Amino acid sequence: MLNGFKSIGRLALIGSGSEIGQALVTKLVADNSPEVILIGRDGDFGLDITNKAAREGLVNQLFGKGDLDLAIIAVGVLGNNSAKSEIENLLDAMDVNYLGTVHLLALIAERMQVQAHGTILVISSFAQVRPRNDNFAYGSTKAGLDFYARGLAAKLRGTGVEVKILRPGFVKSKMTAGMTVAPFAITTEECATFAMKALKSKKTVTWAPSLLKYVAVVFATMPAALFRKISQR
Amino acid sequence: MRRAEPQPTSGWGNNFHSLGNRVSASSIAELQEIVAKNGSSRGLLPVGLHRSYGDSALNSGGTLIDMVALNQIDIDPLRKSAVVGGGVTIAALERAALKHSLFPPVVPGTGFVTMGGAIAAEIHGKSHHKTGSFSQSVRRIVLLLASGEITHLTPADPQFWATVGGLGLTGIILEVEIALRELQSNAVDVTEYRVKNLTSMIDLLIRSDNEFEHTVAWIDLSGDYRGRGVVSLGNYGATPVKIGAKDSKGPSIPSVAGLNFITPLSVKAFNEIWYRKPLKTGPVSLPKYMHPLDGIHNWNRIYGDAGFLQYQFVIDVGQEEIFEKLFAGLRGLKAASFLGVLKKFGAASQAPLSFPRPGWTLTLDYSMSVPGLEKFLREFDQELVSRGGRIYLIKDSRVEAGLLPAMYPELNRWREIRMAMDPNQLWQSDQARRLHLC
Ligand SMILES: Cc1cc2nc3c(=O)[nH]c(=O)nc-3n(C[C@H](O)[C@H](O)[C@H](O)COP(=O)(O)OP(=O)(O)OC[C@H]3O[C@@H](n4cnc5c(N)ncnc54)[C@H](O)[C@@H]3O)c2cc1C
């Protein structure tokens, strides 16, 4: 339960390996001592997010032990494993980023509606703004997730449950190591600061950094030829 | 039975809001129906007037049962007692009793508290050093159990003591029998003294407890935080006074979004004026003496959207040093409290979760928006526990669950009795969830 300061009593990080997720949890425990449940390969609970029964089992366990105030959904793969074919990578990204994550999101939302309180933070991506040759497969899965999360946020208005979406651009982390650093790149620590902002914001969507909101408008409306040129850099 | 759409509800501190369904019942049969038909895993919670400050009377996702319609009052002048519904307010009982020159021996700082709320919190008043807490005048509780059965509990039953201070988690208090005391008039003879600092305040309270039925001190914790204030002493008087206009006609504070009147400066100014005001002496009407703030409705709104908290703790005599630490910390935060209240408690009751016990109790109000307050209070709680003190749960919205067993050593005994009374966890509250009470 939240306390009178609206500080979190119990939270779960789904995707305990996520550096953004970890940095956010560090911030959340700084002023307070909520119970933190880490879910992922080396977390308190393991989770094969591509397994339907595993997702259901996890949610039962999570909510069986008390109210959950915040679920941070920070799972995701880029789908750029060089040992796999392009099609296999596409399937991986779809399974994890869309099917697994959206199902989990729906399950958590359902349980939080019973509690009549709770917040779910979904980590989306700038990549879902417009398809680019190098990451549209990944972008399409994030676009699907983002679309669902926005719909869910609207549907849940008035139930006490909130869905917040964070849309980071390029974040310098293990996940992006070795990739060319894009403009407006931020560190995981900076990204966590925007995630904190997302949690406090009345708005559903928060960009990280904030300027990306306007960059996205430019990207989305830019003539195709110009966009091709820019995205080929 | 009336059902209302779920709407955000908060305690008196107006800080945290929770969405619960609300039903109001006007008969025992309706209550039994509500209990029998509950299908939700989030359970039920009987509530009164939401004068608890935090989340004791909230149940997000579950159902709040509004008890105020159970308001019948029966005074028996011969036995000097009253049989009253669980939703009867202290103010209504006082009015009815005064007609027979009787009065409840223990009343809280506001008359807008129901019998159910008074018992569930095991409230205390200015007379605690003489009369003990509310349960000391309760002869019988009629309780609706989770099973749907109705049981009559007396102080000989462990379930009676689990219900006293039980935060609504043992069942629905349907009816209560209360012993009343006889009065010569409707007045209290009041004597007030201005004191310059905490030491003189403490001295005066100690010296006065024997002679006075009611003792309390208002303490100014702003400015230099020396703890100056006014000590108010009273005895039931012989000369009657005219009772003023009904409290329901008093002014009301509007709810204005974004407004918070409480700043260190405004508090300091208010406390200054108040400290300088002429001292009262002579007869004051009982309701006015007992419930000084009840003339202003919704005074809790002055804290604006962020809301506020009331922090009340008790500490043994001999541990007064802790006040210095508290005052220094608050000065550091520039946290100014509207009048605090200091009182010396008498004997504890048998209830495992009863708050009062011999020692000093201090009560302070703070806006939730004071920077650093959460952290400071968390650290102060540790200090308090290390000195054997505890906080009052009916005012709480923020203590850490881990500290409860140290504050309330009989918590587990209470849990066992409660569990036997409600094995399927029908009674639930946000506070019970936050503090892992059940
Ligand atoms: C201005 C002010 C002054 C105060 N002064 C004092 C004081 O001097 N001393 C003191 O001790 N307290 C004081 N209080 C606190 C107050 O007495 C308690 O919070 C009391 O419990 C409020 O009663 P309520 O009817 O509003 O109950 P609520 O706040 O609605 O509920 C409080 C608790 O009682 C339970 N409950 C309510 N009705 C029933 C029922 N019928 N059966 C079972 N459980 C029930 C609820 O489940 C909840 O746990 C004060 C509060 C205010 C706002």
Side-chain angles (χ1 to χ4, degrees), chain A:
Chain A
M1 288 303 312
L2 296 185
N3 72 10
F5 290 94
K6 301 188 178 72
S7 297
I8 289 161
R10 189 162 177 264
L11 71 90
L13 170 61
I14 299 155
S16 58
S18 154
E19 287 172 73
I20 299 173
Q22 290 165 0
L24 174 57
V25 169
T26 308
K27 287 195 187 296
L28 287 167
V29 300
D31 288 337
N32 201 31
S33 48
E35 182 189 343
V36 176
I37 306 149
L38 301 175
I39 295 146
R41 240 159 276 141
D42 28 50
D44 309 314
F45 295 101
L47 167 69
D48 175 4
I49 194 160
T50 61
N51 180 323
K52 177 167 178 270
R55 295 188 296 257
E56 288 164 347
L58 170 78
V59 171
N60 280 336
Q61 272 196 312
L62 263 184
F63 287 86
K65 294 209 175 71
D67 282 22
L68 193 66
D69 300 316
L70 173 65
I72 305 162
I73 304 190
V75 261
V77 293
L78 281 173
N80 60 354
N81 184 342
S82 53
K84 292 190 178 179
S85 73
E86 194 179 327
I87 300 272
E88 279 170 29
N89 270 320
L90 169 66
L91 287 174
D92 276 357
M94 284 162 67
D95 277 350
V96 174
N97 303 354
Y98 188 74
L99 187 77
T101 304
V102 169
H103 182 217
L104 203 56
L105 180 55
L107 288 173
I108 292 173
E110 184 181 65
R111 302 297 282 257
M112 282 188 172
Q113 268 179 276
V114 175
Q115 298 179 161
H117 72 95
T119 301
I120 311 173
L121 179 74
V122 177
I123 304 190
S124 172
S125 170
F126 183 79
Q128 53 86 39
V129 171
R130 190 164 177 172
R132 261 169 37 187
N133 279 350
D134 58 344
N135 70 354
F136 68 89
Y138 169 79
S140 75
T141 62
K142 286 291 189 182
L145 167 63
D146 193 289
F147 194 96
Y148 181 85
R150 270 184 291 153
L152 187 63
K155 182 191 146 194
L156 293 179
R157 273 184 78 95
T159 65
V161 182
E162 291 190 326
V163 178
K164 301 287 180 198
I165 302 166
L166 182 72
R167 289 181 185 158
F170 192 97
V171 180
K172 292 177 250 172
S173 69
K174 269 188 302 205
M175 191 169 163
T176 57
M179 295 170 58
T180 338
V181 175
F184 310 112
I186 53 174
T187 62
T188 50
E189 155 71 26
E190 285 164 337
C191 190
T193 306
F194 287 106
M196 289 295 278
K197 189 180 144 204
L199 291 177
K200 292 202 183 93
S201 169
K202 287 208 163 62
K203 294 188 186 129
T204 302
V205 175
T206 300
W207 297 84
S210 312
L211 191 65
L212 286 186
K213 179 179 173 182
Y214 306 102
V215 179
V217 175
V218 175
F219 261 46
T221 52
M222 189 180 282
L226 182 59
F227 183 71
R228 259 197 310 278
K229 221 167 161 184
I230 291 189
S231 55
Q232 265 157 17
R233 274 190 315 120

Side-chain angles (χ1 to χ4, degrees), chain A residues 1-10 29-33 35 65-67 111 113-117 158-161, chain B residues 15-17 19 41-42 55 60-62 305-306 309 367-370 373-375 377-378 397-398 400 430 433-434 436:
Chain A
M1 288 303 312
L2 296 185
N3 72 10
F5 290 94
K6 301 188 178 72
S7 297
I8 289 161
R10 189 162 177 264
V29 300
D31 288 337
N32 201 31
S33 48
E35 182 189 343
K65 294 209 175 71
D67 282 22
R111 302 297 282 257
Q113 268 179 276
V114 175
Q115 298 179 161
H117 72 95
T159 65
V161 182
Chain B
N15 47 36
F16 166 76
H17 289 73
L19 271 180
S41 61
R42 302 292 282 184
D55 48 8
S60 64
D305 290 344
L309 59 76
S367 162
M368 302 312 281
S369 56
V370 172
L373 183 63
E374 183 175 16
K375 186 158 173 276
L377 290 178
R378 193 141 21 89
S397 59
R398 34 103 4 230
E400 271 176 77
D430 286 350
R433 290 186 189 103
R434 182 172 56 83
H436 313 304

Side-chain angles (χ1 to χ4, degrees), chain B residues 249-261:
Chain B
K249 289 198 187 118
S252 184
I253 308 273
S255 161
V256 184
L259 206 63
N260 177 0
F261 294 106

Side-chain angles (χ1 to χ4, degrees), chain B residues 127-145:
Chain B
S127 63
H128 190 274
H129 61 290
K130 294 274 193 202
T131 60
S133 40
F134 196 72
S135 65
Q136 301 306 303
S137 54
V138 177
R139 292 187 180 147
R140 188 169 51 93
I141 298 173
V142 182
L143 193 71
L144 176 58
L145 296 168

Side-chain angles (χ1 to χ4, degrees), chain B residues 11-12 45-53 55-58 65 67-68 86-88 107-126 143 163 166-174 290 293-294 299 308 310 312 355-356 392 394-395 428-429 431:
Chain B
W12 188 247
L45 186 72
V47 297
L49 290 169
H50 291 285
R51 272 353 186 244
S52 48
Y53 281 76
D55 48 8
S56 309
L58 302 179
I65 308 175
M67 294 295 297
V68 295
V88 167
V107 298
T110 171
F112 301 116
V113 166
T114 64
M115 293 300 131
I119 291 174
E122 172 67 321
I123 59 163
H124 56 269
K126 298 183 182 79
L143 193 71
T163 301
L167 302 166
L169 300 166
T170 62
I172 303 181
I173 297 165
L174 300 172
M290 296 298 178
L293 279 178
D294 282 1
W299 61 258
F308 72 111
Q310 186 164 89
Q312 182 173 5
F355 165 67
Y392 193 6
I394 209 73
K395 312 253 170 114
Q428 295 182 33
S429 71
Q431 184 170 48

Side-chain angles (χ1 to χ4, degrees), chain B residues 409-421:
Chain B
E410 290 191 89
L411 179 61
N412 277 336
R413 192 164 70 82
W414 177 81
R415 282 182 173 137
E416 277 164 29
I417 306 169
R418 200 209 79 81
M419 199 51 161
M421 294 171 83

